[in-house]
Amino acid sequence: MQDPLPPGGVIRKLWIGEAAPYRGHLLRLDAESRRNRFAGTVSDEFVYDYADLTFGIDAIVHGFFVDGTLRGAAELRPIGAPLSREAEAAFSIEKPWQSHGVGSLLLERTLLAARNRGLKFLHMACLADNKRMQQLARKYEAELSFDFASVIGEVSSPRPTPLSLMRELLADSHGFATAMFDVQTRLLKPV
């Protein structure tokens, strides 16, 4: 059973022209959340460049939107050789929306996307003091290994099925319609 989202919340894939909302979300992260997301302190300039780069590579980003504003995100980024079937997942959620099940829902969507792309292993790296991320990894039965000041969680992904492909197609179709509705709402809003 899927956990309900906080009021006004929706999860959908971000499309290629949505680097600006992603950048805005990353810039709104409080210092601790930004440090956890990037495994260290990063500047605003780094965030600007990172957001632009994310949409220029093979990353898939799912976002948690509240009333049209991006408040959380999950990235799925292939790593290694093109046929390695491995990817990395990274999560960021703004402080007011943490501990509301958003991370679990973003991880479910990320696992579905990984499965449908034939990715066998999904790596989730986090700092050793990032207990929320470790708890999320354990919830999905990730094998955790500790390495210096970080923790690596590895989740094996099953093969895609017609049903898993259909679930992603339906979610993406709904997400695209929601994105278009949000754009129209902003364009028609009185100034």
Side-chain angles (χ1 to χ4, degrees):
M1 183 172 145
Q2 195 171 15
D3 298 325
L5 286 170
V10 65
I11 291 181
R12 67 170 177 80
K13 190 176 284 179
L14 272 70
W15 304 101
I16 196 154
E18 294 186 293
Y22 187 50
R23 180 183 312 109
H25 157 67
L26 293 173
L27 289 169
R28 282 191 301 275
L29 292 173
D30 63 283
E32 179 186 4
S33 298
R34 189 189 287 193
R35 180 179 160 275
N36 284 338
R37 166 58 188 85
F38 292 104
T41 304
V42 297
S43 67
D44 287 354
E45 182 179 324
F46 175 88
V47 170
Y48 272 88
D49 293 340
Y50 183 86
D52 290 336
L53 175 67
T54 298
F55 290 92
I57 57 176
D58 289 339
I60 296 170
V61 182
H62 288 95
F64 164 65
F65 290 82
V66 177
D67 299 325
T69 302
L70 183 63
R71 300 298 184 175
E75 281 182 55
L76 176 65
R77 185 182 302 245
I79 56 175
L83 300 176
S84 69
R85 298 178 52 196
E86 294 185 41
E88 178 184 29
F91 300 84
S92 55
I93 301 170
E94 294 173 29
K95 198 70 147 183
W97 289 274
Q98 293 176 6
S99 298
H100 292 283
V102 174
S104 294
L105 294 172
L106 285 169
L107 180 54
E108 284 179 17
R109 195 66 65 89
T110 301
L111 289 170
L112 179 63
R115 174 184 194 171
N116 289 340
R117 281 149 188 82
L119 298 169
K120 186 166 174 59
F121 292 103
L122 183 62
H123 301 273
M124 299 184 299
C126 70
L127 297 174
D129 62 349
N130 188 346
K131 302 303 181 201
R132 277 195 175 103
M133 190 63 198
Q134 292 171 36
Q135 182 181 15
L136 184 60
R138 281 189 190 96
K139 181 177 179 179
Y140 288 87
E141 300 175 355
E143 290 187 28
L144 300 178
S145 61
F146 292 82
D147 181 23
F148 299 105
S150 66
V151 178
I152 306 291
E154 193 172 276
V155 178
S156 182
S157 182
R159 294 181 181 269
T161 64
L163 183 58
S164 71
L165 293 167
M166 183 60 73
R167 283 180 48 214
E168 185 174 6
L169 177 66
L170 288 172
D172 287 352
S173 298
H174 179 264
F176 186 74
T178 301
M180 293 301 101
F181 180 73
D182 286 346
V183 167
Q184 284 183 333
T185 300
R186 283 194 295 269
L187 291 175
L188 298 174
K189 193 178 278 188
V191 181

